[in-house]
Amino acid sequence: MLRMPEFTLERPRSLAQAIALLSEHGPAALPIAGGTDLVPNLKHELFTPSVLVALEHVPELRGVRVEDDGALSIGAMTRLAEVAIHPDVVARAPALAQAASLVAGPQLRTMGTLGGNVLLDTRCQWYNQTYFWREALGFCLKKDGALCHVVAGGQKCVAAASNDTAPALMTLGAVLELEGPDGPREVKLDEFWVSDGIRNKKLAQGELLVRIRVPAQRAGHRGAYGKLRERGSIDFPLLGVAARVDVERGAGGDERIAAADLCIVALAARPLRVKRVAEALIGKSARGPELEAAIEAVADLAYKQCHPLANIPGDADWRKEMVPVYVRRTLFAAVTGSGPVHHV
Ligand SMILES: Cc1cc2nc3c(=O)[nH]c(=O)nc-3n(C[C@H](O)[C@H](O)[C@H](O)COP(=O)(O)OP(=O)(O)OC[C@H]3O[C@@H](n4cnc5c(N)ncnc54)[C@H](O)[C@@H]3O)c2cc1C
Ligand code: SF4
């Protein structure tokens, strides 16, 4: 049985108190939200904090609301189960609601939060293991060692960003509202990532994610999320595809694509935005052979730009062949409003 290490639990009642506690204890302290990722990581001795600062009772991190400008503001402590079914999220950010609905299983979505999902540590089959297992292998660059088991001779960790909601939020143009000892700041989610599996986000020491803001979308906004995984009931993504396909009615009354985006997770250290998707889709009909040809072109772009590695389970060649399959299905699901795309 894996045991929990000893730590002190702090329970602040305000954002200011939480930030003060994190500043006071420095690198010895970590925030804990739902704990669904942090607790297994503590048991695996991947993190060894002596203080945990629970975010459970911090009111500033709670609640879903629509701002005056139509933006959706979601508190970092909002549970994934709520994000998945909240009427404002479903209506304004369908790809996000669908991605949240496919994270892990029901119990984990009941505890796990949107903030914890955005800030999820990268994953690797050589890293998310017990201390005993990792020690037997000589550890690795990400923790306690000096070599990478995925890229022979590699000097950079390529553990995979595996958070389902990240690509969905990227297609929605989400902004993170952060606050730390130096005060509040905002960063576009696109600009938050770093291509380094050891630490793939620009989050300062002691800084907290307070809220996630999804700007108002155009009237014809459509989105979907598609997820490949071994067991539909619980697993992390082997591939997570978020699509945005906004549609407008043209002068002739036909529906045409007005905006498009495609972001993919579970490849490398940061979520990937597939390039030239807007060029391939904007202006095309939202139905029939013209749509099918445009989607086929995007599936081909994604196939060429995505390079799954042996960092997470699932044969990398098979995962590559699944890229165009899931891109095609997810784009059709976005246009037709029939997502999410997954198997059970
Ligand atoms: C069996 C299993 C299956 C899973 N499957 C999936 C899956 O399919 N897809 C997926 O995306 N995830 C999956 N997870 C991981 C996890 O359940 C989710 O990612 C969840 O959303 C994490 O949220 P949390 O609130 O539990 O985060 P926590 O575990 O509490 O925290 C995660 C990290 O974020 C930090 N943190 C949390 N909130 C804040 C904040 N507001 N400000 C600053 N730092 C913060 C913590 O310090 C920690 O480093 C799975 C986990 C398990 C155990
Ligand atoms: S990719 Fe995996 S094996 Fe390589 S350094 Fe990162 S965690 Fe370790």
Side-chain angles (χ1 to χ4, degrees):
M1 187 178 74
L2 293 174
R3 292 185 183 280
M4 283 289 275
E6 277 190 24
F7 54 82
T8 305
L9 184 65
E10 298 282 4
R11 295 167 183 242
R13 301 281 157 167
S14 71
L15 183 58
Q17 272 180 18
I19 292 169
L21 281 162
L22 288 166
S23 290
E24 181 189 333
H25 295 286
L30 275 181
I32 180 163
T36 60
D37 190 59
L38 189 58
V39 169
N41 290 350
L42 295 180
K43 289 183 173 180
H44 287 170
E45 298 178 53
L46 297 171
F47 300 107
T48 50
S50 53
V51 178
L52 289 184
V53 177
L55 304 179
E56 176 75 34
H57 304 291
V58 176
E60 292 92 332
L61 309 185
R62 300 198 153 268
V64 178
R65 57 178 187 250
V66 178
E67 307 282 12
D68 291 345
D69 63 357
L72 190 59
S73 172
I74 308 175
M77 279 301 290
T78 310
R79 309 287 172 181
L80 292 166
E82 186 184 349
V83 174
I85 58 163
H86 194 289
D88 288 325
V89 183
V90 172
R92 291 163 187 268
L96 173 61
Q98 292 174 25
S101 80
L102 295 183
V103 172
Q107 293 96 331
L108 291 156
R109 289 195 293 274
T110 303
M111 280 305 290
T113 63
L114 182 61
N117 194 253
V118 170
L119 298 176
L120 185 75
D121 190 20
T122 55
R123 294 186 62 82
C124 176
Q125 56 185 334
W126 312 101
Y127 166 76
N128 293 98
Q129 304 287 353
T130 62
Y131 185 90
F132 175 80
W133 195 102
R134 292 184 293 114
E135 183 182 36
L137 207 72
F139 299 112
C140 79
L141 277 175
K142 186 161 159 76
K143 177 78 181 147
D144 301 322
L147 55 97
C148 176
H149 305 291
V150 175
V151 181
Q155 293 303 307
K156 199 167 178 188
C157 172
V158 290
S162 302
N163 33 2
D164 284 299
T165 64
L169 286 166
M170 283 168 67
T171 62
L172 289 157
V175 174
L176 305 184
E177 297 176 7
L178 304 159
E179 189 155 343
D182 297 332
R185 71 176 174 114
E186 293 190 354
V187 59
K188 287 185 181 161
L189 186 56
D190 280 7
E191 293 159 14
F192 186 60
W193 309 113
V194 182
S195 297
D196 181 355
I198 294 179
R199 194 164 165 77
N200 74 339
K201 25 191 112 52
K202 296 177 193 162
L203 186 74
Q205 167 66 43
E207 203 170 35
L208 286 172
L209 174 57
V210 180
R211 305 192 70 84
I212 297 111
R213 198 170 69 241
V214 175
Q217 309 293 317
R218 64 177 82 208
H221 171 73
R222 295 180 191 176
Y225 188 68
K227 176 165 175 173
L228 172 70
R229 55 179 165 178
E230 278 170 6
R231 297 166 298 179
S233 55
I234 194 161
D235 283 327
F236 278 94
L238 299 179
L239 198 63
V241 178
R244 167 210 192 93
V245 187
D246 296 356
V247 168
E248 269 176 5
R249 202 164 282 283
D254 59 333
E255 284 192 325
R256 301 236 149 228
I257 296 172
D261 195 8
L262 189 72
C263 294
I264 302 188
V265 80
L267 295 167
R270 51 167 299 162
L272 174 116
R273 164 162 289 118
V274 179
K275 298 188 190 91
R276 300 191 298 282
V277 169
E279 280 167 61
L281 285 173
I282 290 178
K284 299 291 189 313
S285 171
R287 63 179 61 189
E290 191 176 321
L291 174 68
E292 285 166 25
I295 287 183
E296 209 45 53
V298 175
D300 191 47
L301 284 173
Y303 185 72
K304 289 182 178 137
Q305 292 175 37
C306 294
H307 306 287
L309 299 164
N311 46 6
I312 54 175
D315 178 73
D317 292 339
W318 173 71
R319 283 164 47 222
K320 175 146 177 103
E321 296 308 313
M322 288 295 107
V323 168
V325 176
Y326 272 73
V327 165
R328 238 179 253 128
R329 291 178 185 173
T330 310
L331 283 169
F332 275 116
V335 181
T336 56
S338 58
V341 174
H342 65 124
H343 67 277
V344 286

